[in-house]
């Protein structure tokens, strides 16, 4: 066990703030810091030392670990389940050891993610807090995640219509800073109230029926914006209202596999691994709610999302809703993604206009529900 703990972990969206908050409460004397910000160098480092065929979350995380170790980290965290990611930790640890780094690796996957095993790992790392304080820290972290996810959900839907550019982002930064400093649920409650007031003060000129796009797909690609070239921000610049249900709160407390399968309607009969079922059930909901388009994002080689793709294609055909499939890895061209997004935005805009003409000619309800039969998937 290192004498002075320097704890670090990979990035995934803004959640590193909450993980820093949690670890700082559990290990008050430790130096806790997220891996350095994602850059091209991070991706290059991770890719250089990863098996070529492995999916990009592995490569991004490995790049994060290397940069964190270079900054003096001596304890690294890894967690993940639901697909082969649950088996990546051992391989990442071995690669880092082969590179000559000395560190402790806490891999909280599979059975090690069970509450008792988790508690044991934290204790073994030197946490001496009573159980009640550990639980308080955990509760604060969960509530922080809920506050972040709620605000970001609203922000994605509204940011494309803000009157003063940057006002949504400014409130987000304030909220995140307050979460990083929060020591108790009372602190968090005060931060949420300030955020609510600031949100109400943001002026938007959102039309009653804006263009709406739903985002579904592989969780890491969805939640780590640098891994998808900030797709959501690009859509927002096109004045599109963006919806994405996937977030850590959803994964921890909202995910219900059986319900998702049921909500996939005629498009899935069986599970397809990881979050593939969620991609289908959420897409089905977007289609039923009359969204203008869906973007399906995944890492190159992601089997669960590949499995979900035929069901999504059937859904696209039946509901006449365009779905843009984007696959990312370390070789993906940012310009290529931008061009496809611009074309997609133009296409759904034109389709909206054409459907408007068709609806006025044939009456409303012409657009959806062409075929409701079981299409397979
Ligand atoms: S869900 Fe897909 S991309 Fe994500 S870790 Fe699993 S296989 Fe890789």
């Amino acid at each position: 066990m290192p004498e002075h703990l320097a704890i670090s972990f990979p990035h995934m969206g803004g959640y590193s703030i909450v993980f820093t908050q949690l670890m700082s409460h559990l290990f008050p004397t430790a130096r806790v810091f997220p891996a350095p910000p994602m850059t091209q160098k991070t991706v290059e480092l991770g890719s250089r030392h990863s098996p070529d065929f492995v999916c990009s979350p592995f490569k991004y995380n490995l790049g994060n670990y290397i940069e964190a170790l270079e900054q003096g980290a001596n304890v690294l965290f890894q967690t993940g389940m639901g697909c082969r990611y649950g088996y990546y930790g051992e391989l990442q640890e071995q690669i880092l050891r082969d590179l000559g780094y000395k560190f402790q690796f806490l891999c909280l996957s599979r059975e090690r993610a069970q509450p008792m095993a988790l508690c044991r790992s934290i204790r073994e790392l030197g946490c001496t807090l009573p159980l009640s304080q550990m639980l308080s820290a955990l509760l604060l972290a969960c509530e922080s995640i809920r506050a972040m996810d709620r605000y970001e959900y609203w922000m994605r839907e509204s940011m494309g219509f803000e009157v003063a550019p940057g006002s949504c982002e400014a409130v987000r930064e304030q909220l995140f800073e307050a979460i990083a400093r929060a020591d108790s649920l009372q602190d968090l409650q005060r931060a949420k109230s300030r955020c609510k007031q600031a949100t109400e003060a943001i002026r938007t000129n959102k039309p009653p029926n804006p263009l709406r796009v739903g985002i579904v797909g592989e969780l890491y690609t969805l939640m780590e914006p640098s891994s998808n070239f900030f797709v959501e921000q690009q859509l927002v610049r096109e004045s599109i209202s963006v919806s994405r249900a996937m977030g850590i709160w959803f994964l921890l407390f909202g995910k219900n596999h059986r319900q998702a399968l049921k909500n996939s309607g005629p498009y899935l009969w069986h599970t397809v691994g990881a979050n593939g079922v969620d991609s289908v059930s959420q897409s089905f909901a977007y289609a039923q709610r009359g969204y203008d388009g869906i973007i399906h994002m995944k890492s190159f080689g992601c089997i669960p999302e590949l499995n979900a793709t035929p069901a999504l294609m059937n859904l696209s055909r039946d509901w006449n809703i365009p779905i843009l499939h984007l696959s990312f890895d370390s070789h993906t061209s940012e310009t290529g993604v931008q061009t496809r997004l611009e074309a997609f935005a133009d296409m759904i805009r034109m389709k909206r206009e054409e459907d408007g003409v068709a609806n006025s000619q044939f009456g409303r309800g012409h657009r959806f529900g062409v075929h409701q039969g079981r299409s397979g998937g």
Side-chain angles (χ1 to χ4, degrees):
M1 186 80 55
E3 197 179 332
H4 296 292
L5 296 182
I7 300 173
S8 192
F9 39 85
H11 284 281
M12 191 155 72
Y15 297 110
S16 51
I17 287 175
V18 180
F19 204 67
T20 308
Q21 178 213 69
L22 176 63
M23 287 297 127
S24 304
H25 286 143
L26 293 178
F27 303 96
T29 57
R31 176 182 163 221
V32 181
F33 63 103
M38 291 272 209
T39 60
Q40 189 54 33
K41 184 172 158 236
T42 316
V43 183
E44 281 167 17
L45 268 175
S47 305
R48 191 181 318 147
H49 299 291
S50 299
D52 205 29
F53 56 83
V54 83
C55 53
S56 45
F58 185 104
K59 298 176 184 174
Y60 281 78
N61 286 180
L62 192 66
N64 285 155
Y65 287 137
I66 294 173
E67 291 189 320
L69 288 164
E70 292 293 334
Q71 299 272 314
N74 54 22
V75 177
L76 298 177
F77 272 84
Q78 200 266 10
T79 186
M81 287 171 283
C83 68
R84 54 187 160 160
Y85 196 88
Y87 299 89
Y88 280 171
E90 286 82 352
L91 187 53
Q92 288 169 328
E93 180 179 3
Q94 193 54 55
I95 291 171
L96 294 170
R97 296 212 184 283
D98 289 349
L99 288 172
Y101 293 109
K102 305 262 185 293
F103 59 95
Q104 187 163 351
F105 196 74
L106 256 82
C107 180
L108 307 175
S109 300
R110 309 193 300 278
E111 66 282 353
R112 285 161 295 190
Q114 301 296 328
M116 287 312 290
L118 217 82
C119 192
R120 218 172 15 254
S121 301
I122 300 290
R123 285 268 182 251
E124 282 168 11
L125 198 58
C127 173
T128 52
L129 297 183
L131 189 63
S132 59
Q133 279 189 36
M134 285 171 76
L135 289 176
S136 299
L138 198 62
L139 186 62
L140 177 62
C142 289
E143 285 300 319
S144 301
I145 288 170
R146 176 161 40 186
M148 283 171 65
D149 281 3
R150 267 199 182 161
Y151 181 74
E152 290 201 317
Y153 191 94
W154 175 85
M155 182 170 140
R156 281 190 286 274
E157 290 195 329
S158 312
M159 198 174 162
F161 312 96
E162 60 189 1
V163 174
S167 42
C168 292
E169 184 58 39
V171 174
R172 177 184 179 269
E173 277 174 22
Q174 281 168 20
L175 176 68
F176 280 27
E177 274 170 28
I179 286 175
R181 285 197 309 270
D183 271 331
S184 63
L185 285 174
Q186 288 76 9
D187 287 349
L188 184 66
Q189 192 51 48
R190 279 191 286 274
K192 286 196 307 193
S193 305
R194 282 197 302 273
C195 173
K196 188 164 178 273
Q197 279 174 8
T199 306
E200 283 164 2
I202 295 175
R203 287 197 303 127
T204 60
N205 53 9
K206 195 171 176 178
N209 191 13
L211 279 179
R212 294 182 302 164
V213 165
I215 299 207
V216 300
E218 191 267 328
L219 64 99
Y220 182 86
T221 311
L222 259 53
M223 289 193 278
E224 175 46 54
S226 63
S227 77
N228 63 43
F229 301 125
F230 300 87
V231 159
E232 289 172 359
Q233 287 186 16
Q234 293 191 51
L235 291 171
V236 158
R237 279 198 289 275
E238 298 276 350
S239 298
I240 290 174
S241 174
V242 178
S243 172
R244 159 164 69 83
M246 178 65 74
I248 297 280
W249 182 264
F250 169 80
L251 285 173
L252 291 177
F253 304 107
K255 196 168 154 57
N256 181 329
H257 200 75
R258 192 173 297 181
Q259 191 59 41
L261 203 51
K262 213 166 140 199
N263 293 348
S264 298
Y267 297 101
L268 271 188
W269 288 10
H270 303 288
T271 179
V272 289
N275 293 99
V277 179
D278 298 311
S279 294
V280 178
S281 65
Q282 289 165 6
S283 298
F284 193 27
Y286 287 132
Q288 288 170 308
R289 285 157 61 196
Y291 269 60
D292 296 276
I294 293 170
I295 298 186
H296 176 226
M297 301 201 288
K298 65 177 179 59
S299 158
F300 178 76
C302 172
I303 304 299
E305 294 301 329
L306 270 177
N307 290 341
T309 302
L312 293 175
M313 290 164 81
N314 288 337
L315 190 145
S316 169
R317 181 200 59 212
D318 291 353
W319 288 81
N320 191 23
I321 181 169
I323 302 186
L324 176 65
H325 299 273
L326 293 175
S327 231
F328 296 88
D329 77 354
S330 46
H331 305 296
T332 305
S333 141
E334 184 170 3
T335 315
V337 172
Q338 265 170 11
T339 310
R340 291 186 67 194
L341 275 179
E342 282 165 13
F344 184 73
D346 286 346
M347 191 260 285
I348 58 172
R349 203 166 279 124
M350 284 189 287
K351 184 171 181 301
R352 169 76 76 93
E353 284 163 17
E354 283 166 15
D355 286 348
V357 174
N359 281 342
S360 64
Q361 285 177 358
F362 299 110
R364 300 197 75 76
H366 176 72
R367 182 175 169 198
F368 296 113
V370 178
H371 168 63
Q372 301 287 311
R374 194 167 194 102
S375 309

